């Protein structure tokens, strides 16, 4: 047995670029396809709620429904009705306050292309040259029939037409099988699971330049079998220390939850997420600058632009974002800052739009939301001050405890004593929960868990590893 939270980290030249988390019983992830039942139609906002089998119903807008006829501007009531069973795909993952955003415009990913049963268009990777773009668009149009559509990946230009035909045929048959299964089910059910954690990580990398390190032998072996071209760059980590701790990723993740980020020249940015938008404030900090004040300001703003773009990807911050750069009077300097942002955002797989500087000198941009931010996934409002400060959530601390125990899975000692706070103890001991058994199964030693009641925040501390008699005697004294 291994720990239940799965994590992937993308690191570039020793710098953490992106973190992906996959937890048990998490919200339905983007790309999943479900049979859902329409539970409420809202003609006033041209939308509907759809039950896909989770506590929160999904939300679908009329524009994300497939037209049932050639009539233009169909209302939502003409497209669906309450009680109807439909096949939907998660377009945007749920959050703690909102259900998933759904669409009927299904996408089924393949190796060299993406099949769209109702797409009715061919799109081509922006990484292809102008000539290849035109050629692959024509190929895509030839491969589709009726209302089908295709998205041609970059690699589609490097394989034969016969391979692409075979892939389209396979994906078309996969969709037909899913549709037939949905007809027989007539109950909320998962039809197709989107990309795995590893596949999502691969989609966000330049595969040919990466080294892949795994700490789970089964996953390592499966990856090598599925991607034989990467065998020489694939390694199994055999250390006892948590892989992320060994590569200083753990520390970098916790830094990504802090508001202040220092720049190379001594300046810093302050990242402040609010309910409506995220504000990034740029400060000169320790930087005294050069003799030319305008050039000093530009230098700090350029560093800040690059770091802000990196942090938005690392923290997975989305929605409306405002960056308050140090005031620049020169339009040329403003354009240089925008270009630095654009160049850094080119590495980000999530779509970002820069809207430019306002009259007040604030830079506005928007970043597409696909899932919750890193902070929303890992933290919760502070138990003491409630809204002012956020702390690591009890769930996050529980998974950290799993990893801490897993590091001692080969110990030859008889017992391990762990002291936990009341919030964590309550989480582990929740009714109908098997979490204490899960923790015990991670190690061969006997596990002792005691409560430190005076601590209000989620917390644990490995007090002792040794003989059961000594541990029990110490627990008895306390």
């Amino acid at each position: 047995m291994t720990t239940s939270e799965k994590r992937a980290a993308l690191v570039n030249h020793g710098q953490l670029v992106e973190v992906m988390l996959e937890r048990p019983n998490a919200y339905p992830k983007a790309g999943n396809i479900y049979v859902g039942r329409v539970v409420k139609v809202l003609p006033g906002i041209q939308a509907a709620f759809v039950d896909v089998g989770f506590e929160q119903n999904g939300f679908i807008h009329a524009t994300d429904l497939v037209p049932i006829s050639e009539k233009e501007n169909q209302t939502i009531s003409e497209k669906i009705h309450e009680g109807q069973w439909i096949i939907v795909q998660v377009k945007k993952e749920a959050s703690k306050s909102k259900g998933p955003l759904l669409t009927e415009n299904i996408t089924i990913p393949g190796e060299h292309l993406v099949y769209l049963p109702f797409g009715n268009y061919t799109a081509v990777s922006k990484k292809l040259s102008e000539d290849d773009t035109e050629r692959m668009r024509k190929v895509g149009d030839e491969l589709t029939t009726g209302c089908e559509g295709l998205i041609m990946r970059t690699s589609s230009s490097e394989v034969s037409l016969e391979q692409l035909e075979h892939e389209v045929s396979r994906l078309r048959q996969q969709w037909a099988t899913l549709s037939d299964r949905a007809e027989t089910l007539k109950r909320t059910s998962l039809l197709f699971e989107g990309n795995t954690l590893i596949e999502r990580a691969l989609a966000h990398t330049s595969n040919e330049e990466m080294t892949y390190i795994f700490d789970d032998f089964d996953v390592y072996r499966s990856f090598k079998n599925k991607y034989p071209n990467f065998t020489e760059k694939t390694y199994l980590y055999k250390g006892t220390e948590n892989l992320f701790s060994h590569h200083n990723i753990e520390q970098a993740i916790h830094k990504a939850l802090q508001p202040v980020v220092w720049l190379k020249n001594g300046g810093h940015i302050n990242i402040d997420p609010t309910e409506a938008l995220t504000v990034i404030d740029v400060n000169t900090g320790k930087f005294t600058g050069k003799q030319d004040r305008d050039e000093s300001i530009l230098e700090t703003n350029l560093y800040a632009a690059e770091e802000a773009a990196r942090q938005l990807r690392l923290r997975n911050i989305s929605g409306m974002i405002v960056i308050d750069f140090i005031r620049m009077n020169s339009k040329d300097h403003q354009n240089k800052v925008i270009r630095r942002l654009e160049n850094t955002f080119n590495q980000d797989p999530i779509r970002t739009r820069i809207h430019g500087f306002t009259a007040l000198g604030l830079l506005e941009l928007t970043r597409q939301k696909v899932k919750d931010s890193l902070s929303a996934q890992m933290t919760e409002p502070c138990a003491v001050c409630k809204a002012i400060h956020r702390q690591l959530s009890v769930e996050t601390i529980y998974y950290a405890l799993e990893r801490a125990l897993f590091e001692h899975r080969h110990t030859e000692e008889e017992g391990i004593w762990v002291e936990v706070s009341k919030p964590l103890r309550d989480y582990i001991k929740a009714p109908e929960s098997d979490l204490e058994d899960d923790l015990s199964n991670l190690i061969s030693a006997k596990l002792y868990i005691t409560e430190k009641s005076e601590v209000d925040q989620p917390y644990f501390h490995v007090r002792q590893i040794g003989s059961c008699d000594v541990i029990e005697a110490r627990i008895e004294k306390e």
Side-chain angles (χ1 to χ4, degrees):
M1 178 180 175
T2 58
T3 55
S4 50
E5 181 185 50
K6 308 305 177 188
R7 303 187 295 175
L10 309 183
V11 179
N12 185 21
H13 299 297
Q15 193 172 49
L16 183 61
V17 173
E18 190 171 346
V19 180
M20 300 179 185
L21 308 178
E22 193 171 87
R23 292 175 170 177
N25 305 316
Y27 305 121
K29 65 175 182 275
N32 281 9
I33 300 176
Y34 294 88
V35 180
R37 184 176 66 86
V38 179
V39 294
K40 193 173 185 64
V41 177
L42 307 169
I45 59 171
Q46 289 296 295
F49 287 108
V50 182
D51 177 13
V52 290
F54 285 79
E55 184 177 346
Q56 293 173 310
N57 289 328
F59 181 85
I60 191 166
H61 194 268
T63 54
D64 283 312
L65 290 166
V66 175
I68 58 174
S69 69
E70 295 182 2
K71 177 187 172 184
E72 294 185 4
N73 301 321
Q74 294 176 42
T75 66
I76 192 163
S77 299
E78 292 176 299
K79 292 182 176 182
I80 57 172
H81 58 82
E82 291 181 10
Q84 181 178 342
W85 294 94
I86 58 175
I87 300 176
V88 290
Q89 188 166 35
V90 177
K91 186 176 179 181
K92 184 189 296 182
E93 291 185 11
S95 64
K96 291 177 181 177
S97 59
K98 295 179 181 178
L101 183 63
L102 307 173
T103 180
E104 262 194 324
N105 293 301
I106 306 297
T107 62
I108 302 179
E111 185 177 357
H112 305 296
L113 47 81
V114 180
Y115 176 69
L116 318 173
F118 311 109
N120 210 23
Y121 66 88
T122 298
V124 180
S125 168
K126 293 179 181 178
K127 295 181 181 178
L128 292 177
S129 66
E130 191 174 331
D131 290 343
D132 279 343
T133 295
E134 190 58 35
R135 178 173 64 88
M136 295 316 300
R137 184 170 281 114
K138 289 180 180 177
V139 169
D141 290 341
E142 291 171 4
L143 291 172
T144 55
T145 60
C147 61
E148 292 177 333
L150 291 175
I151 300 173
M152 312 300 287
R153 298 186 190 273
T154 306
S155 61
S156 65
S157 65
E158 302 168 359
V159 296
S160 67
L161 178 61
E162 185 180 4
Q163 285 176 278
L164 294 177
E165 287 175 339
H166 177 74
E167 188 167 339
V168 171
S169 178
R170 177 177 62 80
L171 295 175
R172 185 183 286 133
Q173 181 56 50
Q174 185 177 351
W175 167 244
T177 302
L178 292 177
S179 300
D180 290 344
R181 183 165 168 243
E183 285 293 324
T184 61
L185 283 173
K186 293 301 181 187
R187 59 181 171 82
T188 55
S189 181
L190 175 66
L191 286 177
F192 171 83
E193 188 165 6
N195 288 340
T196 65
L197 181 67
I198 292 172
E199 289 167 338
R200 295 203 306 278
L202 285 176
H204 286 199
T205 64
S206 300
N207 299 344
E208 67 280 359
E209 300 172 1
M210 299 295 291
T211 296
Y212 307 95
I213 305 174
F214 298 89
D215 62 358
D216 183 300
F217 178 74
D218 291 335
V219 177
Y220 162 77
R221 182 174 56 185
S222 173
F223 182 86
K224 289 184 70 173
N225 290 337
K226 189 170 184 178
Y227 302 99
N229 293 339
F230 300 155
T231 295
E232 293 182 3
K233 305 174 186 177
T234 304
Y235 303 92
L236 177 66
Y237 172 73
K238 298 179 181 178
T240 54
E241 184 185 20
N242 162 8
L243 175 63
F244 277 25
S245 295
H246 181 74
H247 288 279
N248 298 318
I249 295 170
E250 209 76 69
Q251 182 182 9
I253 291 173
H254 287 286
K255 278 187 177 180
L257 300 174
Q258 304 305 314
V260 176
V261 182
W262 289 96
L263 305 176
K264 296 175 184 176
N265 69 342
H268 69 269
I269 61 175
N270 192 296
I271 303 172
D272 182 17
T274 70
E275 188 72 25
L277 51 78
T278 297
V279 178
I280 301 177
D281 187 37
V282 181
N283 299 278
T284 52
K286 302 173 184 176
F287 180 56
T288 54
K290 303 171 183 175
Q291 195 168 5
D292 187 325
R293 181 176 180 276
D294 287 346
E295 287 298 323
S296 298
I297 289 172
L298 175 62
E299 180 180 331
T300 299
N301 282 342
L302 288 173
Y303 278 125
E306 187 172 331
E307 189 60 39
R310 191 181 79 85
Q311 290 294 327
L312 289 174
R313 180 181 180 184
L314 173 57
R315 299 171 187 234
N316 198 29
I317 294 173
S318 55
M320 294 185 292
I321 299 153
V322 172
I323 306 180
D324 185 8
F325 286 103
I326 304 168
R327 186 80 178 201
M328 294 174 288
N329 297 319
S330 166
K331 274 282 185 187
D332 180 56
H333 285 187
Q334 288 185 350
N335 290 334
K336 284 182 178 178
V337 167
I338 289 176
R339 283 197 296 273
R340 180 67 64 89
L341 272 171
E342 289 173 338
N343 290 339
T344 312
F345 278 131
N346 282 338
Q347 312 302 316
D348 188 350
I350 304 297
R351 187 171 69 250
T352 302
R353 291 184 61 192
I354 299 173
H355 300 282
F357 282 92
T358 69
L360 296 175
L362 304 173
L363 186 74
E364 296 179 324
L365 54 100
T366 52
R367 187 171 184 270
Q368 181 187 14
K369 180 168 184 178
V370 177
K371 65 188 303 178
D372 275 345
S373 68
L374 188 65
S375 175
Q377 292 179 76
M378 293 188 65
T379 68
E380 62 190 8
C382 175
V384 179
C385 60
K386 301 298 180 185
I388 299 172
H389 171 68
R390 293 184 71 86
Q391 64 185 23
L392 291 176
S393 68
V394 65
E395 187 179 19
T396 297
I397 298 298
Y398 169 77
Y399 293 125
L401 173 57
E402 275 194 340
R403 289 189 289 272
L405 289 175
F406 194 64
E407 289 184 4
H408 299 290
R409 61 194 178 277
H410 299 308
T411 184
E412 295 181 0
E413 298 288 355
E414 288 183 310
I416 298 179
W417 173 21
V418 178
E419 190 174 59
V420 302
S421 62
K422 186 178 187 305
L424 183 55
R425 178 74 171 179
D426 291 344
Y427 182 80
I428 294 170
K429 290 282 194 178
E432 301 180 9
S433 167
D434 298 323
L435 295 183
E436 189 165 8
D437 290 339
D438 292 343
L439 292 173
S440 296
N441 291 335
L442 289 170
I443 53 178
S444 55
K446 184 175 180 180
L447 179 62
Y448 297 86
I449 299 178
T450 61
E451 182 182 316
K452 188 168 186 175
S453 56
E454 61 268 27
V455 179
D456 294 324
Q457 298 178 331
Y459 156 93
F460 75 86
H461 173 57
V462 179
R463 286 286 301 270
Q464 186 170 349
I465 302 173
S467 76
C468 290
D469 289 344
V470 173
I471 291 173
E472 288 171 10
R474 287 193 64 191
I475 292 174
E476 185 68 28
K477 283 183 180 180
E478 292 201 2

